[in-house]
Amino acid sequence: MISKVFSLSLMGIDGFVVEVEVDLNGGLPSINMVGLPDTVVKESKERVKSAIKNSGFKMEPARITINFAPADLKKEGPHLDLAIAVGILSCMNEINYKNTLGSAFIGELSLNGEIRGVRGVLPMVLEARKNFKKIFIPQENWGEVDFIEDISIYPVSNLNEVVDILNNNLEPSLIPVKNNNTDVNYDFDFSEVKGQKFVKRAVEIAASGGHNILMIGPPGSGKTMIAQRIPTILPELTIDEAIEVTKIYSIAGLLKEKGKLLLTPPFRNPHHTVSFASFIGGGSNPTPGEVSLAHNGVLFLDEFPEFRRDVIESLRQPLEDGSVLISRVKGKINYPARIMLVASMNPCPCGYFGSPYRQCHCSENQIRSYFNRISGPILDRIDVQISVEPINYEDLNGKKEEESSIEIRKRVIKARKIQIERFKEDGIYVNAQMKNKHINKYCIFSKAASKVLENAFKNLKLSSRGYTKILKVSRTIADLDGSEIINEDHVAEAVQYRILDNKIYR
Amino acid sequence: MDKEKFLKLWFLNLPIKDELKIKLLTRGLELDKIYEMNRRDWMDLGLNICEADEVLHVKNREKEIYNQVKFLIDNELTLILFNDDEYPAKLKNIYDPPAGLFIKGNILDYTNTLAVVGSRKATNYGLTVAYKFSREISKYGIKIVSGLAKGIDTAAHLGCLDADGVTAGVLGSGFKFIYPISNKEVINRIALKGAVLTEFLPDEKPYPQNFPRRNRIISGLADFVLVVEATDRSGSLITARLALEQGKDVFAVPGNIFSLNSVGTNNLIKDGAKLVSNIEDILLEYGISLKNNMHSGYNELELTIINILKIGAITIEELLERIDVETNDVLRAIGKLECNGIIKRAFGNYITLKE
């Protein structure tokens, strides 16, 4: 007798349905698998056999053929175990086959019949919603999908439980997850950063307009401290954004300890020795890289020029398109990567150029070549470039109350709302994504502002790319002020965030 | 015409001391007469037989010298010898003057000149001082002489150029090997109104020993020498010493006592160089009085900022601490002042007054 059981597998960040057909034949007892299973799937026959036996069922000696369809797509991962076991058990009449119809099964079996958590449950359940009424998932993964409606989800912890539910048509027993999703909590807060008003203001502007930001400062000036706190002032993710982010984390297998929908913007800070493949995504079965893990959040690159050249250059596509296309023999996969890039670097190789407290020993050439490690096209995409000063003792010790992240976030959210409203029909979300046509349409200047711009052009020797950056940033500053027209104040402030036009570096 | 250039170049190519060349030139001998001189005549001038042969041997290098002539013409370089009218009178008075000078740009009269010299590895402070002083001083018609090296020298030239002033740069190499190459554009700008000069033949490379020699021309062309930043072993101190030997006053800009780049200048002041902290100190020596220009037409906040900056450069964070006004208002005031060219941003978040 043939049984046909459904499961799912992953292609990029989306799931697809896999049919698992099981047939028992006469002949020498063995299990054969066809339909492009990879090694992990092939190994599952041993796990399935033991799991069935140790769950108290008798494994009849038979020649078992298992087929995976569609046959032309590679199936990988141990999550097909459960579907195979259910298929075999229904062939052996341990399970009422009719009851398996309309259900999908995801889960890895251990030898004693327990069901282990797997990667990628969220995208698979999202896909299953379209085709099935019920889905069985490992108990461990319940947290990441508990918000999904339109499908009955059965979190299960062992094979016997599955058999029980199927034979007796039980309702799922849902244990509510410890849910603290509603209140976003961070370990950090901007109120811990003393002084640094200029930097904080720059960060607020960058967060409001989604601008990438580069911080240049000597060691110990607090660049990392500030960067870590940037997610705390970003708006919470919308449910769609959260699903996108959680999907990526689910595929990368990074949800295990968190095990729930990620509502806060992610923050990633890969070390500068990061390899090309782990940064942008890759591997023979492509997995998402750091840029995708930072999707809808912050990618922080500390010591920016120390990153490998190809890694820095690979940022071009994600910064431009908000996604990365990874082509490998086994397929082309598009991972989303809409990030806010936060980069930090020292002002020179020794780190103390421009510091009031230490002498810098670098020659002009050394400094220039240090900066040349970051190419023009990348710098073009960083709208806010500031220099960070070392903090002095009075600031550190100050009793002054600093503004908390929540206060700043309120302003950021307000500015973001204005932008979303404005760009409704343009398919972009924030000022940083504006192209020339948007700039012409939305950057309307008062007369006085045009005068300031003209003077700036003359006196500061602005390049045309510096000019565009000032336009974008002044648009964001105006949004923070709730002003539709950009006035001279906004332009004058925007001029402050372009340290790299400084002669020494170009 | 080419014949004359050829003879001049042939003469400068001779492997004899500049002192002897100048002796020959001041005797009133025509160059073609010198060209015809035989071994005996040279030996009468005190050369030994080998040296005289070497001198005569230069005639065989005709092709090389014609190439040099072509280079002069192609690059519009002027060549003047010690006995030419265009030769700077000031240089005639120094010890060991050059026998000839290659000049790109204009023939200047070198009255009212100030040499601005200093470290190649300069700090932001030094660069700002050099730039600012040169720019302001050149507005009073004083010509800036410097050495076209990186750091202070370049800042001094640029300051003068930005004020549309006249500046002269002295190279430590021939025109074929401009060093540092990054100054090529600066040189072209200088040549428009000022002059770039060198005593070295076009094929001379920038050997280290050329630079101390060049310094005597810098100090020789100047009325006074201003040392902006120097470490305790800096080449700028050689220029200062040469200036003293030539009977010229040396000015020095004081610096932070912990800054290595100011050790040399602070020592100069200890040894009696005039301490210079504003351009008035310099103008006084030329007998020029300061023009009066006040800031007007700014609002209260902007005036507060200007007044704070009058005391010296300050970082933005310090300024924000000092003024109890909303951060973005202060940033906007700074922005406006910057756009209007009143203040400027320097590295490390510093802002300073431009004037």
Side-chain angles (χ1 to χ4, degrees), chain A residues 387 389 455 459 493 496 498, chain B residues 315 338-340 345 349:
Chain A
S387 130
E389 301 165 29
N455 279 341
N459 283 321
E493 193 184 339
Q496 298 304 310
R498 31 136 230 118
Chain B
T315 66
E338 193 187 354
C339 290
N340 290 326
R345 288 284 293 276
N349 259 359

Side-chain angles (χ1 to χ4, degrees), chain A residues 148-212:
Chain A
I148 297 178
E149 288 165 356
D150 308 333
I151 185 165
S152 315
I153 301 171
Y154 290 79
V156 285
S157 49
N158 62 55
L159 190 55
N160 276 325
E161 204 183 328
V162 179
V163 176
D164 205 25
I165 292 169
L166 285 171
N167 285 343
N168 302 318
N169 262 334
L170 297 179
E171 286 299 307
S173 59
L174 302 178
I175 312 156
V177 188
K178 280 176 280 163
N179 209 338
N180 52 358
N181 277 356
T182 44
D183 197 22
V184 179
N185 259 327
Y186 292 99
D187 299 339
F188 307 116
D189 197 279
F190 259 107
S191 60
E192 293 148 10
V193 182
K194 304 288 176 196
Q196 303 285 28
K197 290 184 191 161
F198 172 61
V199 186
K200 282 185 192 165
R201 172 74 183 166
V203 166
E204 178 182 332
I205 290 166
S208 300
H211 302 286
N212 299 320

